[in-house]
Amino acid sequence: MITLTDFMLVSAALFCLGLFVVVSKKNAIQVLIGIELMLNAAILNLVAFGKYDRVNNGGQMFALFAIILAAATTAVALAIILNVYRQYKTIDPDKINRLKD
Amino acid sequence: MTATVANIDNSQIVTLVLTAVTLPFVAFLINFLLLQKSKVSGWVSTAAILCSAILAVKILIALWNQKPITAQFAWFQIGITRYYAGIWLNNLSVLMLALVPLIALPVHIYSTAYMKHDSGYGRYFTYLSLFCFSMMALVVMRSMLLMYAFWELVGFSSYLLIGFWYTRESAAAANKKAFIMNRIGDIGLLVAIMIIYAMFHTFNMDRIFGEAGLIRKSSINGLVWTTLFEHMSAYWQYVAAAGLFLAVAAKSAQFPLHTWLPDAMEGPTSVSALIHAATMVAAGVFLLGRFLPFFNGTELHILAIVGCLTAFMAATIALTQNDLKRILAYSTISQLGYMVMGIGIEAYPSALMHLVTHAFFKCLLFLVAGIVIHEMKHIKEENNLDIDPQDIRHMGGLRKKLPLTFLVTIIGALALIGLPLTSGYLSKDGILIHSFEWSEDNVNRFAFVPVMAVITTWITAFYVTRMVVKVFFGELQLLKSNPALSLHLTDGGLLYKLPLIFLALCSLFPLFSFNPLSYEHSWLFNGLASNFLVQKNNYHLFVPIIVGLGSVTTMYMAYLSYGKHKWAFPQGGFFNRLSSNEWYIDAFYSRVVVKGVLAFSCALYWFDKNIVDGLVHLLERIGLFLSRVSAWFDKYIVDGLLHTVAAIVEAIGNFARRFQNGKVQYYLYSMLLAVVIVFVLKLLIWS
């Protein structure tokens, strides 16, 4: 029997992997992938907690809603990355340090 | 005479007096502002003094033996005390008022010729007019304050004229000396005026010294001096009298302040004639006349003794001098000594009469000296000689070359000696006779005074004869050493002759008395002597005879010695050296007083440099040291603190800015770290 804890552990592992990817990768696309991983960890949690709302299936509804939002944000993020590339001729987040000072 | 007076009322008289006094001042202004370089200046001054003289004589005739006239207006006010400026005309002041322009007039006329070729012609007459104005104002002033002001002005114009040839070092030194010595007297006068004002609460001299003046209601009992207003220690009266004496001694060249007068001969001779023989030096005697009631018996005795001593001393010095003007200067001092002595022995009318007569004949003698020196200068310049034109040893035999000059000299000399038929006889005998009476009144305690005075007249006869003989008799001494001398000597033009003749006539008896042998018949004496008792006694017979015989004897001796060379004084003896070195008084002053003052100022200089400046320097060092300490404190403590703070802030900032490196991942990482730390801490605290 797969328990809630197992789901939570998988979700936590997935979140940590996503976080690691976001922090460590030298490519903005990969960072975006890391974000998607963390988002999916959150969605997995929503679905797992959805067993406590069998009537309205709130968990599943929120998961669907989040997936749609993720698709939208990814589209916007890709557009930003494209513009960043045009501006800096690179998408390495280490080189883009205009936020300094 | 009363009819004349009735026609002229007081206000007219006052206007006349003010006009007479102001005219020379107007001349001074015109000359000073417009005519400095012009030869017209001489005639402007002369015209002014001529008008003054006419007015003054008119005033003299109108006011002689009349009641004193006073006029005044409020001058200024301090608090509730009003100060007045005014004039006080009594016999003494109208006499002096007439005397000054009468002497000044011939001197002015003479000067127009005498100073003709001098480059400072305009300046000379400017100063001369200033002097005449000051002198005439001095004698009529009513307020002691104003009198003091003109007293100073007289001294100042005398200073200017002594140093007229200011490029000569000796003239500059002489005018400085005269000025400094007169300052001593001025301070005395100022002190006396202040004390008198403190005691009598007024500057008006006629209120204090006039008839029934305040001075008669004051007295000295024991050690307290009481007037209507105040009482003070009697010492203040002595101090005031001493101050007045100083003033008189300085202005009238009495011992011990006489040494400036012989040096004052550095000025032009005409100036010496007017200022340093006839008028200014008489100001001291005039002052005594004004302040006479102020002196008590002892003070008058001191005056008499000092005057007598001065007369004797100056006469003995004149015996051996070789400078023509210096001889005359010492004889002036000697005659002034007579006047002061006359005041001291309470022979007030005789003393003032001597002042008047002396003014005429001494002015005459100086003008003669001017001509002689002028001619000697001509000889010197024509023949390129290196001589002192004033030295009588070079002169002689001028009798034939300068006949008129010689004639008037004889008149002047006889008047100076005091032989009958001259004015000098009248006044000098008055003083001498009175001195014997005075000595008798004082139980012969001061018998030496009249005796010394008589001896002095004999000495006077001797040195005057010596001078006249050396200048006019015998042969011109210069011819002995330079036989090929070219001589062009004349008496000079009318401008020279007229003043001489005028003064010579004034030196004879008719101007003063129709009886040539009795001074009591002189109008001048009677006018001044109204309050004085005149006793007839044997002295009136014996004294003139003794004086006359003695004088004639010494004159003959002098003639034998210097004219005929029958005998001569032993040279180089003690008395000879004493006399020719002027009693070593100047030497004493320069050794003791001048050296003392110099040493004192050196000491003051040292004190200034080392103590006063030293203190300042010490303060400066302390200040510097303190500022160094505070600079160090500022730099290392105050600034250090700030720098430390700044450095800490900078370090923190530098540390903090490392986090702001603009890398998104880094920020995220930091955030994560912070969350983890918070989480760990929370766990630790909870457990």
Side-chain angles (χ1 to χ4, degrees):
Chain A
M1 170 80 186
I2 301 169
T3 61
L4 186 62
T5 318
D6 297 330
F7 281 107
M8 301 284 274
L9 282 173
V10 172
S11 167
L14 202 57
F15 186 81
C16 287
L17 281 173
L19 195 59
F20 176 72
V21 169
V22 166
V23 169
S24 59
K25 287 304 165 190
K26 299 282 173 202
N27 190 324
I29 305 288
Q30 283 174 326
V31 172
L32 202 58
I33 290 168
I35 292 171
E36 288 301 317
L37 279 179
M38 290 195 303
L39 207 61
N40 283 322
I43 291 166
L44 186 60
N45 262 8
L46 281 171
V47 172
F49 281 111
K51 75 170 187 180
Y52 294 108
D53 185 14
R54 295 277 185 200
V55 184
N56 291 326
N57 287 322
Q60 275 79 0
M61 289 308 292
F62 259 109
L64 276 176
F65 194 58
I67 287 166
I68 292 160
L69 275 178
T73 51
T74 305
V76 172
L78 279 173
I80 291 174
I81 288 170
L82 204 61
N83 274 321
V84 164
Y85 180 75
R86 273 194 199 146
Q87 192 80 24
Y88 296 97
K89 300 292 172 207
T90 177
I91 49 169
D92 184 351
D94 270 358
K95 305 251 167 69
I96 304 160
N97 54 358
R98 275 278 179 88
L99 281 175
K100 186 169 108 182
D101 284 338
Chain B
M1 199 182 279
T2 32
T4 343
V5 173
N7 294 335
I8 305 175
D9 62 17
N10 284 0
S11 66
Q12 268 175 305
I13 288 280
V14 171
T15 320
L16 280 182
V17 170
L18 289 181
T19 319
V21 171
T22 338
L23 273 171
F25 186 65
V26 173
F28 160 71
L29 282 184
I30 293 173
N31 285 346
F32 182 67
L33 297 175
L34 305 173
L35 301 173
Q36 278 290 0
K37 302 270 169 238
S38 159
K39 296 277 168 190
V40 187
S41 54
W43 293 111
V44 171
S45 289
T46 310
I49 205 73
L50 176 68
C51 298
S52 278
I54 293 169
L55 289 176
V57 169
K58 204 173 155 187
I59 294 161
L60 174 66
I61 292 168
L63 289 188
W64 187 249
N65 278 343
Q66 304 296 324
K67 276 180 86 76
I69 287 182
T70 55
Q72 64 182 14
F73 65 93
W75 184 21
F76 61 91
Q77 193 168 0
I78 296 176
I80 51 162
T81 319
R82 272 166 177 263
Y83 293 88
Y84 296 93
I87 54 177
W88 175 26
L89 300 168
N90 59 2
N91 273 359
L92 174 61
S93 48
V94 291
L95 180 65
M96 289 296 289
L97 183 67
L99 175 72
V100 174
L102 274 183
I103 300 286
L105 178 62
V107 171
H108 272 75
I109 295 171
Y110 179 92
S111 302
T112 52
Y114 188 72
M115 302 298 290
K116 193 156 61 185
H117 302 297
D118 198 283
S119 56
Y121 185 83
R123 191 162 53 90
Y124 172 84
F125 278 99
T126 311
Y127 292 165
L128 208 58
S129 283
L130 176 67
F131 169 77
C132 290
F133 161 67
S134 327
M135 188 70 202
M136 287 170 75
L138 167 68
V139 299
V140 293
M141 277 306 145
R142 185 187 196 195
S143 158
M144 286 190 286
L145 216 54
L146 277 175
M147 189 196 70
Y148 179 75
F150 285 108
W151 180 270
E152 292 273 19
L153 257 185
V154 163
F156 175 66
S157 41
S158 148
Y159 162 82
L160 288 176
L161 282 164
I162 295 171
F164 180 71
W165 289 310
Y166 53 85
T167 46
R168 275 195 215 163
E169 204 169 311
S170 54
N175 74 349
K176 245 181 284 169
K177 186 174 179 180
F179 199 68
I180 290 171
M181 288 213 151
N182 272 300
R183 295 306 306 171
I184 298 173
D186 295 342
I187 288 167
L189 182 59
L190 191 60
V191 167
I193 287 177
M194 287 194 285
I195 292 173
I196 292 170
Y197 180 74
M199 288 304 282
F200 295 100
H201 290 190
T202 175
F203 282 120
N204 272 2
M205 280 187 286
D206 65 317
R207 274 203 67 203
I208 305 174
F209 306 115
E211 279 170 34
L214 294 168
I215 195 92
R216 299 199 200 282
K217 294 180 188 121
S218 70
S219 57
I220 294 180
N221 293 320
L223 283 175
V224 183
W225 181 27
T226 320
T227 66
L228 279 183
F229 308 104
E230 299 274 346
H231 49 86
M232 271 207 274
S233 166
Y235 292 115
W236 289 109
Q237 204 269 348
Y238 307 144
V239 171
L244 287 175
F245 170 72
L246 262 187
V248 172
K251 198 64 95 192
S252 287
Q254 295 300 293
F255 179 81
L257 296 180
H258 64 275
T259 54
W260 67 271
L261 187 60
D263 289 4
M265 297 300 138
E266 284 296 332
T269 310
S270 42
V271 164
S272 309
L274 177 62
I275 301 183
H276 304 117
T279 50
M280 186 192 88
V281 288
V285 180
F286 166 79
L287 185 82
L288 282 180
R290 280 279 205 209
F291 283 62
L292 185 59
F294 186 77
F295 295 95
N296 62 29
T298 319
E299 286 155 8
L300 287 177
H301 289 168
I302 293 169
L303 272 185
I305 291 166
V306 169
C308 175
L309 183 69
T310 309
F312 180 74
M313 179 195 71
T316 54
I317 293 173
L319 278 177
T320 54
Q321 297 303 308
N322 287 320
D323 185 314
L324 181 55
K325 286 182 75 180
R326 248 183 136 73
I327 299 174
L328 288 173
Y330 273 108
S331 93
T332 306
I333 296 176
S334 176
Q335 301 306 309
L336 288 166
Y338 271 120
M339 294 173 212
V340 171
M341 182 185 110
I343 298 277
I345 60 174
E346 294 168 61
Y348 168 76
S350 301
L352 289 172
M353 192 162 142
H354 197 53
L355 193 168
V356 176
T357 56
H358 170 258
F360 286 109
F361 63 70
K362 187 51 66 64
C363 184
L364 170 66
L365 285 177
F366 264 107
L367 294 189
V368 164
I371 290 177
V372 170
I373 293 165
H374 212 58
E375 298 306 319
M376 291 306 284
K377 237 183 231 166
H378 272 309
I379 298 177
K380 178 187 168 185
E381 279 158 17
E382 248 179 84
N383 300 285
N384 284 329
L385 298 176
D386 183 26
I387 55 162
D388 175 9
Q390 304 193 3
D391 196 330
I392 56 171
R393 282 171 297 190
H394 301 313
M395 303 174 189
L398 297 178
R399 178 175 81 244
K400 293 160 206 149
K401 313 271 199 242
L402 311 170
L404 178 85
T405 311
F406 172 66
L407 186 69
V408 294
T409 308
I410 292 296
I411 295 175
L414 290 182
L416 176 57
I417 295 166
L419 288 184
L421 301 181
T422 61
S423 59
Y425 166 83
L426 296 169
S427 52
K428 202 184 256 185
D429 271 19
I431 295 177
L432 291 175
I433 291 166
H434 201 100
S435 71
F436 278 99
E437 289 171 0
W438 170 80
S439 163
E440 205 170 63
D441 291 344
N442 282 300
V443 215
N444 291 330
R445 264 187 305 161
F446 302 112
F448 66 93
V449 169
V451 172
M452 244 164 119
V454 168
I455 292 174
T456 306
T457 59
W458 296 340
I459 300 174
T460 309
F462 191 89
Y463 72 73
V464 172
T465 316
R466 168 177 178 262
M467 181 186 82
V468 172
V469 167
K470 280 213 164 192
V471 174
F472 289 101
F473 288 83
E475 292 299 322
L476 189 61
Q477 297 298 311
L478 277 179
L479 279 175
K480 285 185 184 165
S481 45
N482 309 286
L485 222 50
S486 70
L487 299 173
H488 302 92
L489 302 181
T490 60
D491 278 331
L494 269 186
L495 292 178
Y496 284 116
K497 282 179 182 161
L498 277 180
L500 292 184
I501 294 169
F502 170 74
L503 289 169
L505 289 179
C506 291
S507 304
L508 292 172
F509 70 92
L511 181 68
F512 298 96
S513 163
F514 293 118
N515 183 343
L517 295 177
S518 162
Y519 68 91
E520 291 97 336
H521 288 90
S522 159
W523 56 271
L524 222 164
F525 184 85
N526 287 322
L528 292 165
S530 49
N531 299 329
F532 294 84
L533 288 174
V534 179
Q535 312 166 294
K536 262 284 180 196
N537 54 27
N538 290 339
Y539 290 129
H540 290 246
L541 184 63
F542 289 132
V543 171
I545 292 175
I546 293 171
V547 169
L549 286 181
S551 296
V552 170
T553 317
T554 52
M555 280 167 75
Y556 185 62
M557 278 163 65
Y559 179 70
L560 283 187
S561 169
Y562 298 104
K564 300 279 177 206
H565 301 285
K566 288 271 163 59
W567 65 282
F569 274 120
Q571 296 294 310
F574 171 71
F575 289 109
N576 196 291
R577 272 184 289 132
L578 185 68
S579 164
S580 56
N581 287 301
E582 303 169 8
W583 281 39
Y584 296 101
I585 291 171
D586 250 350
F588 172 78
Y589 283 165
S590 55
R591 284 259 173 82
V592 177
V593 181
V594 176
K595 281 241 177 89
V597 170
L598 282 181
F600 183 62
S601 23
C602 277
L604 280 184
Y605 175 71
W606 180 89
F607 182 81
D608 232 32
K609 195 171 172 191
N610 291 324
I611 309 293
V612 179
D613 282 12
L615 268 176
V616 173
H617 285 151
L618 187 67
L619 279 178
E620 173 204 308
R621 294 240 170 91
I622 291 174
L624 269 178
F625 176 72
L626 283 179
S627 43
R628 273 202 198 119
V629 168
S630 87
W632 182 88
F633 185 81
D634 238 30
K635 197 168 171 188
Y636 292 98
I637 309 294
V638 179
D639 284 12
L641 211 63
L642 279 175
H643 285 151
T644 313
V645 170
I648 290 171
V649 170
E650 197 184 355
I652 292 173
N654 278 341
F655 175 72
R657 63 187 275 169
R658 288 222 307 270
F659 301 110
Q660 301 281 329
N661 54 5
K663 293 173 186 170
V664 179
Q665 285 170 311
Y666 191 81
Y667 292 166
L668 197 62
Y669 184 71
S670 309
M671 202 172 75
L672 196 65
L673 202 65
V675 169
V676 169
I677 287 169
V678 168
F679 205 71
V680 168
L681 282 177
K682 198 176 161 192
L683 272 179
L684 282 176
I685 291 164
W686 272 358
S687 57

